[in-house]
Amino acid sequence: MAEGSDARAWEELIPDALGLIFRNLPLQEILTVIPRVCKSWSRVVLGPYCWQEIDIDEWSQHCKPEQLDKMLHMLIDRSCGSFRRLSVSGLHTESMFTLIADHAGSLQRLELPRSEMNDAIVKLVAPRLCNLTYLDVSYCSKIGACAIEANMSGQQENVAAPKLNERILSSLSKRSVDVHPWHDLETSKEAPLCSMW
């Protein structure tokens, strides 16, 4: 950098600012390229700055269960319990769901589509997920109304957190229905098996 210049070097940016920038990069680059640029960038990637929003949904759909477990352990450890959003698809073990709940002090948005959790484990960890404002358990075939009720009762104790969609809950508790994962609309018998929307 030229002397007398007012511009700051990239490595001199505060870690929070670098973390915000790095979050816009693909996961593979954050884990493999950025740490090799310089020591300050490596420290940012190893700290919680980049891991307040953990979105490995796309990657998790194409990896082996043991790879997914290792990646989640590493990212949750790096976040130091400060992650506010976690999006991962296809959790295969209850221990990973428990790990997420154990570090969920700041967690507000949890997206776990196509995961293998059941009602028992959801009811067990629901009290630790009291800060959730958004929960996606779409296509989790082993979770029923009683698990969602457990999550809602935990949220009702925390007045600041909004309730989950009560219409979905009442539909699930009264009968077995398919519910569109993004809306509170019941599917009709005439609904097509495949939709482009």
Side-chain angles (χ1 to χ4, degrees), residues 52-56 72 76 83-88 100 107 109-112:
Q52 293 177 1
E53 293 194 17
I54 301 172
D55 184 352
I56 57 171
L72 266 179
I76 289 172
F83 65 103
R84 294 185 300 258
R85 176 183 176 227
L86 176 64
S87 180
V88 58
I100 292 166
L107 186 61
R109 185 177 177 99
L110 182 58
E111 302 163 37
L112 302 172

Side-chain angles (χ1 to χ4, degrees), residues 40-54:
S40 64
W41 285 25
S42 179
R43 277 192 302 271
V44 170
V45 171
L46 292 174
Y49 311 103
C50 292
W51 311 113
Q52 293 177 1
E53 293 194 17
I54 301 172

Side-chain angles (χ1 to χ4, degrees), residues 4 10 22 31 68 82 107 113 123 129 131 140 146 190 195:
W10 280 96
F22 294 161
L31 295 174
L68 178 58
S82 67
L107 186 61
K123 283 200 265 188
L129 301 173
N131 291 324
C140 295
C146 59
E190 293 81 29
S195 173

Side-chain angles (χ1 to χ4, degrees), residues 72-128:
L72 266 179
H73 268 289
M74 180 187 68
L75 296 179
I76 289 172
D77 286 346
R78 285 189 182 182
S79 76
C80 300
S82 67
F83 65 103
R84 294 185 300 258
R85 176 183 176 227
L86 176 64
S87 180
V88 58
S89 185
L91 283 183
H92 296 282
T93 60
E94 293 178 357
S95 63
M96 294 311 298
F97 189 51
T98 304
L99 175 74
I100 292 166
D102 288 343
H103 295 86
S106 301
L107 186 61
Q108 297 170 355
R109 185 177 177 99
L110 182 58
E111 302 163 37
L112 302 172
R114 298 173 192 84
S115 294
E116 296 293 320
M117 301 154 313
N118 59 35
D119 288 346
I121 190 67
V122 172
K123 283 200 265 188
L124 182 67
V125 302
R128 290 178 265 172

Side-chain angles (χ1 to χ4, degrees), residues 135-152:
L135 175 64
D136 177 1
V137 289
S138 56
Y139 308 107
C140 295
S141 59
K142 297 180 181 178
I143 297 178
C146 59
I148 295 173
E149 284 174 353
N151 189 283
M152 279 189 68

